Amino acid sequence: MEKSPVRKRNTRGEGDRLRRELVSAARALLEETGNEDAVTLRAVARRAGVTAPSIYAHFGDAGAILLEVVQEAFGELAGALRAAGSGAATAAERLDALCAAYVQFAAGSPHRYRIMFGRHGSARTGAVAAPRPLHELAGAEAIGMLIEALSDCAADGSSASADPRADAVALWTGLHGYASARNALPAFPWPEGLLPAMVGRLAVLRGPAG
Amino acid sequence: MEKSPVRKRNTRGEGDRLRRELVSAARALLEETGNEDAVTLRAVARRAGVTAPSIYAHFGDAGAILLEVVQEAFGELAGALRAAGSGAATAAERLDALCAAYVQFAAGSPHRYRIMFGRHGSARTGAVAAPRPLHELAGAEAIGMLIEALSDCAADGSSASADPRADAVALWTGLHGYASARNALPAFPWPEGLLPAMVGRLAVLRGPAG
DNA sequence: TGTACATCAGTGAACGCGCGTTCACTGATGTAC
DNA sequence: TGTACATCAGTGAACGCGCGTTCACTGATGTAC
């Protein structure tokens, strides 16, 4: 048994402490192993310094923990985009900052990112949850920020977009492809300046990158 | 045991028959379950109507079978693109046909497509193969066709691309994002005409879609 | 302030299961004479 | 043409393992009196 030596038992009020620790253990396991199927109920319990049956007080199965890891990740992504966009002077700068933050999040948490748009759930239980529609998740927040920024760009003339919502979806799709492909194929000979070129064209920017 | 009732034993010369049947069984399991970890050595053997130890004569482990499924898929993708591009009258038409075929392949084999750019290998063995660089796989063939078609477009003026190789990579990255996102989030409210818009902009086409 | 008790977070043993892997084997097919 | 033999594709029993899940339990914490 490789459980952490001391784990202070929860006092009455803080029943959520273990729950948070389990989610955090699952996230760490996922990023370290790179394998969502290594995130078993028993492995999570081990990592959190707790016996396996303790989990049932908080989660129905390992898939439920992974689902919470995904929801947490969507929340973090939205937070990162909000923070990145808040310091921009112009709409075009804000759009660029959002795109950079998006790509940076995916590069920094590759396996979580992969799982956000993949299957969640464990192979063992057979309860493989179908991916939830993005607009039901916090991912809608990220897309919403892109739409808003691109609308502002269209309004101030830095983008020629005639349909900012549709073009923001195109932009997001491109960002997703970029993030996913760079994570999957790090050794591919990626051309210089790929990201700004894609952003400039998909967002129909009028600047030097467009 | 749910093995197929009759399986004619291989005669001497055709030692590869079972090998091909195993790969085919693995592919079917993957697409039906949508879960690469359901493709266990035992499940593949069951599906092929054979006992588990028979596999060792052909593959070291289940991960090796999945790797062959991926290689086969890259071959099929290249074949589909070749077929789609062969009937086109102009370079621009050929580029469009390649993009359509790419997206269609991904939509038709969503789990194989996901695995082509994801982790290959089984959770159980721990031997999770790192994704191979794309240019070492047959995927280079698909990208090569895009580069060639875009170069032709640039040559005949239907694309304003100044760097067809770089722009073909951008185009491919966009196609990958499109294919991957549509597979992952079928219920998302995708805007009309998203694919031609992305292709037109990323390939810098001069036609009506650009 | 002290004591008996209820609560409840977490334990530890146990189970059945499907898995990967090993091993000695079987029996049909082709070959040497 | 017939027969003994070598080959080799695939079998079946067995193993140890980590898993998910169950169950009765323990023992520290807070509460009622």
Side-chain angles (χ1 to χ4, degrees):
Chain A
M1 289 299 153
E2 27 164 325
K3 56 182 67 168
S4 40
V6 196
R7 206 200 95 90
K8 241 188 73 195
R9 185 195 208 77
N10 277 346
T11 86
R12 283 297 176 82
E14 42 182 18
D16 272 353
R17 202 184 114 215
L18 179 55
R19 173 179 248 278
R20 286 191 310 270
E21 287 173 353
L22 290 171
V23 173
S24 164
R27 186 186 52 212
L29 273 174
L30 173 63
E31 281 299 350
E32 284 172 24
T33 64
N35 181 354
E36 56 269 36
D37 286 298
V39 186
T40 64
L41 194 145
R42 285 185 110 111
V44 170
R46 228 158 22 229
R47 177 78 178 217
V50 122
T51 60
S54 315
I55 292 193
Y56 290 102
H58 299 280
F59 296 97
D61 60 12
I65 307 184
L66 224 36
L67 183 62
E68 197 143 319
V69 169
V70 166
Q71 283 169 334
E72 188 189 75
F74 272 114
E76 272 181 45
L77 172 61
L81 262 58
R82 209 175 301 113
S86 70
T90 67
E93 275 179 36
R94 191 162 92 246
L95 189 68
D96 271 348
L98 292 180
C99 293
Y102 187 98
V103 162
Q104 197 176 330
F105 175 87
S109 299
H111 301 290
R112 268 155 97 210
Y113 183 80
R114 177 167 53 77
I115 260 203
M116 287 163 76
F117 301 103
R119 70 195 168 80
H120 329 136
S122 140
R124 289 192 179 277
T125 60
V128 175
R132 305 276 300 287
L134 183 60
H135 53 290
E136 287 183 9
L137 291 168
E141 230 177 310
I143 292 244
M145 283 187 264
L146 286 178
I147 295 176
E148 200 189 314
L150 186 52
S151 297
D152 291 352
C153 288
D156 76 7
S158 54
S159 164
S161 170
D163 184 347
R165 196 200 90 83
D167 290 337
V169 171
L171 174 58
W172 169 72
T173 304
L175 289 175
H176 171 65
Y178 181 88
S180 156
R182 296 225 49 156
N183 278 345
L185 306 166
F188 183 81
W190 298 104
E192 201 80 17
L194 176 58
L195 182 61
M198 291 183 70
V199 171
R201 290 174 192 169
L202 291 173
V204 207
L205 295 185
R206 284 212 178 93
Chain B
M1 288 299 153
E2 27 164 326
K3 56 182 66 169
S4 40
V6 195
R7 205 200 96 90
K8 241 188 72 193
R9 184 195 208 78
N10 277 345
T11 88
R12 282 294 176 85
E14 43 183 16
D16 272 354
R17 201 185 114 215
L18 178 55
R19 174 178 247 277
R20 287 192 310 271
E21 287 174 355
L22 290 170
V23 173
S24 165
R27 186 187 52 213
L29 273 173
L30 173 63
E31 281 299 349
E32 283 172 23
T33 64
N35 180 355
E36 56 270 36
D37 286 299
V39 185
T40 64
L41 194 145
R42 285 185 110 110
V44 169
R46 226 156 25 227
R47 178 79 179 217
V50 123
T51 59
S54 316
I55 292 192
Y56 290 102
H58 299 280
F59 297 98
D61 58 14
I65 308 184
L66 224 36
L67 183 62
E68 197 144 317
V69 169
V70 166
Q71 284 169 334
E72 188 189 76
F74 272 114
E76 271 182 45
L77 173 61
L81 262 59
R82 209 175 302 114
S86 69
T90 68
E93 274 179 35
R94 189 161 94 248
L95 189 68
D96 271 347
L98 292 180
C99 292
Y102 188 99
V103 161
Q104 196 176 330
F105 175 86
S109 300
H111 301 290
R112 267 154 97 210
Y113 184 80
R114 176 167 53 77
I115 260 204
M116 287 163 77
F117 301 103
R119 71 195 169 79
H120 329 135
S122 140
R124 287 190 181 279
T125 61
V128 174
R132 306 276 301 288
L134 184 60
H135 53 292
E136 288 183 10
L137 289 170
E141 230 177 310
I143 292 245
M145 282 187 264
L146 286 178
I147 295 177
E148 199 190 314
L150 186 52
S151 297
D152 291 352
C153 288
D156 75 8
S158 54
S159 165
S161 171
D163 184 346
R165 196 200 90 83
D167 290 337
V169 171
L171 174 58
W172 169 71
T173 305
L175 289 176
H176 171 64
Y178 181 88
S180 155
R182 296 224 50 154
N183 278 345
L185 306 166
F188 183 81
W190 298 103
E192 200 81 16
L194 176 58
L195 181 62
M198 291 184 70
V199 171
R201 288 174 193 170
L202 291 172
V204 208
L205 295 185
R206 285 211 177 92

